[in-house]
Structures are given as structure tokens and as C-alpha cells.
């Protein structure tokens, strides 16, 4: 499971929004939908995203104003503006306010998705990759595959790092055996293998104070595992 690319959709027409959300989610993007420019600007104060799909005609401030404000703040996020069909002035205005691309409505969904992916390729969106993770008495250097543990320093293998990454990205959530087999080993989710169990045993030996009473790498009986760094405040 890769980290999903977050996209902010600013669209006040429910039917259009629904279609867009459905199609973006089918491509595995993480969509946040707001219905006004004000809500979009507010969202951007506390969240990062890779791309904004911005309707031009909005209640309150319009898409152009949203675009202007985003650029004024020095935010270089990719913006795809949705305009009315054939309104050349709108397109030019959108581009001059800093939109990266525009698409007149109604649009072909395939074309829409192609433009989204090409904008994302061109944008310099980098998912926030954590370089270091500390939990319990452990600190893991994910780049150099090194871990400082209560038992001293360890060199981790590629697969161990890959597996840790899955746990970290999904902290607090159930990860099924199938998901781990698929994402770490590229195996079919229903593969019968002890490999995974052996890995969990090893991670516990490395990182748990008492491997028989794990605090971090928890078994969810009959379903899979859950990682708890103990760092998240409730
Ligand atoms: Ca609209």
C-alpha cells in the first residue's frame, strides 16, 4: 500500500463533485472535498496536498481569487482550474492568476484523469517520508537501515525496512496478513507462508522489551497486525 496522493477538490456542484471524487478515488487518490473557496484556503492552512482541482464559479470568493491568494502566499501547489465551456477570458484569467492547467466543463473523465496525472508528474510533490522513527526505546534510521535499540545497534534488511514502513504508514490501523504479503513480498494475499510470522517474531525480538508481551507490534487475532508506536497522544 503506497501513500495515497492527497488532492483537494473545490467544487460547489454536488453532481460534478461526486463524479470527480468517484473517479479520483478509483485511481487511489486521497480526495478532500470542499464547496467554497474560503473552505479551501482554510484547509490549506493546516494540510498539504499535491494538487488542487479548483472550480472557477464558486459561492463567495471565486476560483480566481482562491488561486491568487494561494500564489500570494508563495504556495506553488499544482492547480487545475475547471472553467465553463469556451469562456476564453476565464481560461486566460485562470492561467494568469497562476493556475497550471484548465479544463472546460463538461469534460471527458478520461481526459480529466490524464491531466491530473500529468500535473502530478510535473509538480514537485513529495510525500512526507519520515527519515527517522523513534518508539519505545528504539530509534530507526529508515534511510540507512540502522536501528538503535535497547539491545544495541542493528543493521536492518531491505525487507525489514519495507515492513516497518508499512507499519509506520498505517499506525494504529489493522494491517491484514494479505496486505503485508502483497505490499512487502509482492505475494498473493492468500499465500500460505510462515515468512510473515517469522518476520514479526524478529521485529519483536529487535524492538520489544518483552517479545512475548509486545507493546508495538500487536497481533489482531485471526486478522493481522497493528503497530502502536506509543507516541500518539489520545
Ligand atoms: Ca461552480
Amino acid at each position: 500500500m503506497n501513500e495515497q496522493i492527497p488532492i483537494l477538490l473545490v467544487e460547489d456542484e454536488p453532481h460534478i463533485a461526486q463524479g470527480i471524487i468517484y473517479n479520483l478515488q478509483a485511481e487511489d487518490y486521497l480526495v478532500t472535498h470542499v464547496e467554497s473557496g474560503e473552505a479551501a484556503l482554510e484547509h490549506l492552512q493546516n494540510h498539504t496536498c499535491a494538487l488542487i482541482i479548483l472550480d472557477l464559479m464558486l459561492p463567495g470568493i471565486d476560483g480566481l481569487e482562491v488561486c491568487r491568494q494561494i500564489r500570494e502566499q508563495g504556495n506553488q501547489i499544482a492547480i487545475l482550474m475547471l472553467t465553463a465551456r469556451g469562456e476564453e477570458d476565464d481560461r486566460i484569467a485562470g492561467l494568469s492568476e497562476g493556475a497550471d492547467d484548465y479544463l472546460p466543463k463538461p469534460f471527458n473523465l478520461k481526459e480529466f484523469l490524464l491531466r491530473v496525472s500529468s500535473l502530478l508528474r510535473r509538480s514537485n510533490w513529495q510525500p512526507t517520508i519520515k527519515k527517522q522513527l523513534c518508539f519505545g526505546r528504539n530509534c530507526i534510521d529508515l534511510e540507512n537501515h540502522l536501528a538503535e535499540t535497547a539491545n544495541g545497534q542493528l543493521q536492518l534488511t531491505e525487507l525489514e525496512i519495507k515492513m516497518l514502513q508499512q507499519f509506520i504508514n498505517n499506525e494504529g490501523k489493522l494491517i491484514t496478513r494479505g496486505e503485508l504479503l502483497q505490499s512487502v513480498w509482492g505475494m498473493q494475499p492468500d499465500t500460505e507462508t510462515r515468512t510473515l510470522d517469522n518476520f514479526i517474531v524478529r521485529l519483536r525480538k529487535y524492538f520489544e522489551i518483552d517479545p512475548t508481551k509486545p507493546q508495538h507490534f500487536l497481533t489482531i487475532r485471526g486478522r493481522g497486525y497493528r503497530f502502536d508506536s506509543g507516541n500518539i497522544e489520545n
Side-chain angles (χ1 to χ4, degrees):
M1 209 189 303
N2 294 318
E3 188 170 342
Q4 288 179 300
I5 298 174
I7 293 179
L8 176 63
L9 169 65
V10 192
E11 170 62 78
D12 60 312
E13 284 151 76
H15 280 99
I16 296 179
Q18 264 170 30
I20 291 177
I21 294 167
Y22 177 82
N23 281 275
L24 289 175
Q25 285 177 343
E27 299 288 315
D28 213 26
Y29 295 116
L30 185 66
V31 189
T32 302
H33 174 218
V34 295
E35 294 176 2
S36 73
E38 288 86 348
L41 292 170
E42 199 186 312
H43 179 82
L44 289 170
Q45 285 182 350
N46 306 308
H47 302 84
T48 55
C49 56
L51 169 70
I52 304 177
I53 296 162
L54 181 59
D55 186 28
L56 180 71
M57 297 292 284
L58 293 166
I61 59 171
D62 67 8
L64 290 176
E65 180 58 27
V66 176
C67 215
R68 190 177 304 140
Q69 291 198 25
I70 288 171
R71 294 304 184 223
E72 254 174 30
Q73 292 161 8
N75 191 337
Q76 293 305 311
I77 187 168
I79 299 176
L80 172 60
M81 192 165 276
L82 305 178
T83 66
R85 178 191 278 283
E87 296 292 334
E88 199 176 35
D89 290 349
D90 286 352
R91 299 202 306 262
I92 294 166
L95 292 173
S96 70
E97 291 303 343
D100 297 283
D101 198 1
Y102 63 86
L103 198 55
K105 291 194 218 177
F107 45 79
N108 176 297
L109 277 165
K110 221 174 208 170
E111 182 186 356
F112 166 75
L113 289 172
L114 285 171
R115 288 196 190 225
V116 165
S117 69
S118 107
L119 274 171
L120 288 170
R121 259 200 316 277
R122 274 151 47 195
S123 82
N124 39 23
W125 165 254
Q126 297 280 341
T128 46
I129 297 165
K130 283 193 199 155
K131 298 207 167 109
Q132 203 193 39
L133 171 78
C134 296
F135 59 94
R137 292 165 70 181
N138 314 289
C139 260
I140 301 170
D141 176 344
L142 294 164
E143 256 182 348
N144 297 308
H145 299 190
L146 285 172
E148 294 286 348
T149 75
N151 309 313
Q153 199 180 60
L154 291 169
Q155 179 78 50
L156 301 169
T157 67
E158 192 85 30
L159 279 174
E160 286 164 351
I161 287 289
K162 225 170 159 185
M163 185 132 158
L164 282 168
Q165 201 85 59
Q166 287 303 314
F167 278 116
I168 294 161
N169 292 345
N170 297 287
E171 169 157 18
K173 292 185 223 155
L174 165 77
I175 311 182
T176 64
R177 290 179 59 88
E179 280 165 356
L180 282 172
L181 286 171
Q182 213 165 18
S183 61
V184 179
W185 285 275
M187 291 181 184
Q188 290 299 314
D190 55 357
T191 310
E192 284 295 332
T193 170
R194 296 291 301 166
T195 308
L196 179 53
D197 309 78
N198 294 338
F199 255 78
I200 298 282
V201 168
R202 209 177 326 154
L203 291 182
R204 285 177 179 156
K205 210 176 82 199
Y206 292 165
F207 303 120
E208 301 282 1
I209 306 254
D210 178 354
T212 63
K213 295 194 188 78
Q215 306 288 311
H216 303 296
F217 299 92
L218 310 171
T219 300
I220 310 291
R221 198 172 291 275
R223 301 181 65 194
Y225 301 96
R226 184 164 63 80
F227 175 65
D228 181 358
S229 68
N231 301 340
I232 289 180
E233 295 162 28
N234 291 312

